[in-house]
Amino acid sequence: MNTTDYEHGVVPADQRKGWWSIAAVWIAIGIDLSGAFLGIELAAGMDFGAAMLATFVGSTLLGLMAMACAYVGAVSGLSTAMISRVVFGRIGGAVLAIALSLSLLGWFAVQAGFFGSNAQIAFGELTGLDLPVWIFTLVGGTLMALTALWGYRSISKLSSLAVPALLVLLLLGVIVGFATQGTDGLSTPVDVVFTFGGAVSLVMAIFILGVVTAPDMARWAKTPRQAMAAGFVGFFFGNSIIVVVALVLARVMGETELMTIFFLLGLGGAAVIVLILAQWTTNTSNIYSAALSFASVDGRLNRRVLTVIGGVVGILIAVLGAADGFIPFISAIGIVIAPFGGVYVAAFVVDHRAGRFTPAEQERAVHPLAIAAWAIGIFVALAATHPADGLGLGLFDLTTIPALDGLLAGFVAYLVLGLVARRVRSDAAAPAPAEREPDEVAS
C-alpha cells in the first residue's frame, strides 16, 4: 500500500483523483461543530434574514476564493507549505509554514473541545452518566490524529461515508423541527450584536484556513478545472449547510446546543453517530495539514511523526479549554491567514508563466516583496475589523468584510510591489544612452 503523501514534492499524475472525491472531503470538513456553534451565535445576535444572507454571502466568497487557491494547487501539484516556500523563500516560507501549522493546531484543539462537550451531552442523554468533558476530548482527538496518520486516502474514504449521512440527518432535523415547532421562532426579535460585514467575515473565518490550505487537497485533482469545481462546491456547500441548519434549529427550538436540539427532536441516536463522523473528518484534515506544513520546513522531517506530536499537543490544548476562545480565535485566523492566500495567488499569476513558480525558487532565502504584501494584508484586515466582531481596531471599512479586505489587500499589494520592482530592475538593466561626439553636437 502506498502511504506517501508527497509532502516534499509534486503528486504524480497517476495518483490524481476526480473532482467529487475532493469536493466530498471539503464538504465533510465544512460540516462540523464550529459551524453549528457559529450558526447558534448568529441566531442569537442577528435578525434571521440578515444572518441567512450573511451566511450565503460568506460561503459564496469562500467558494470563489477556493477556486483560485485550488487552481494554484492543481497546476503546481504542491502542498500549501511548499507553495509558501516558493513564494516567501526558504526562511520566509518556513516562518509561514510554522504560522500555518500553529493556526491549524489551534483549530484542531478548538474542534476537539467542541467534540468533547457535545459527546458528553450525548453520552449523558443515552446513559444518564455524567463523565468529565476531558475524557471525550481525549478519545475523540486521538481517533482524529490516528486517521490523519494515513493521509489523504483515509480522509477521502471517511468523507465518502460521512457526507451522505450528514446531509440526510441535517435535512431530517429541519423537517422535524418545522413539523413539531412551526416557524414562529424564525421571526422572534433579538438584540443585534454583529454587523452584517462582521458576520460575513466570521462565516468566512471558520473555513478560511481550509481555503488557504486548499492546495493540500487540490494537488490531488486530475485537472485544474476539476480542482476548481471541487473547490467551489466543497466550500460553498460545506460551509453553509451546517451554519444554516444550526441557525434555523436554534431559532425554532430555542436551544443553544446542537446535540440537545437533536435529542429534543427524537434524533439523538442518529445525531451522535453522524456528528461524531462530521467532527472526525474535519479535525483529521486540520492535523493532516498542520503536519504537512511542519514537514515542509525541512526535508528530513516526517509527516507521520509530526502528526503524532501535533496530535498530542493539540489534545492537551483542547483539554485545557481552547474552545472557550472560539470567536477571538477565528477572528485572528481571518486577519492573519487570509492575506497569505491573496499573496500566493498573486505570486502565481505573476510568476507562473515566467517559469518561476517552481520548487527551485526555494533556493532564495527570503522574498521581501511577498512578506511586505502579507504584512500589508494583515494590517488592512486588522484595521477593518470592528472590536465588536472580534480582534480588530475598527479604523475604517472597505468591503465591510475584514477577511476579504485582508486577502484582496495582500493580492493587490503583491501585484503592485512586483510591478514596481520589475520596473526598477528594468531601468537598472537598461544601457545608458551613448554620448555623442562634439562635432555631432555642433552640426
Side-chain angles (χ1 to χ4, degrees), residues 194-212:
F194 301 104
T195 65
F196 181 79
V200 172
S201 197
L202 288 175
V203 168
M204 295 173 65
I206 61 172
F207 215 176
I208 196 70
L209 262 178
V211 168
V212 172

Side-chain angles (χ1 to χ4, degrees), residues 125-139:
E125 291 282 352
L126 292 172
T127 66
L129 299 176
D130 184 19
L131 296 181
V133 172
W134 69 265
I135 293 177
F136 300 95
T137 301
L138 176 63
V139 172

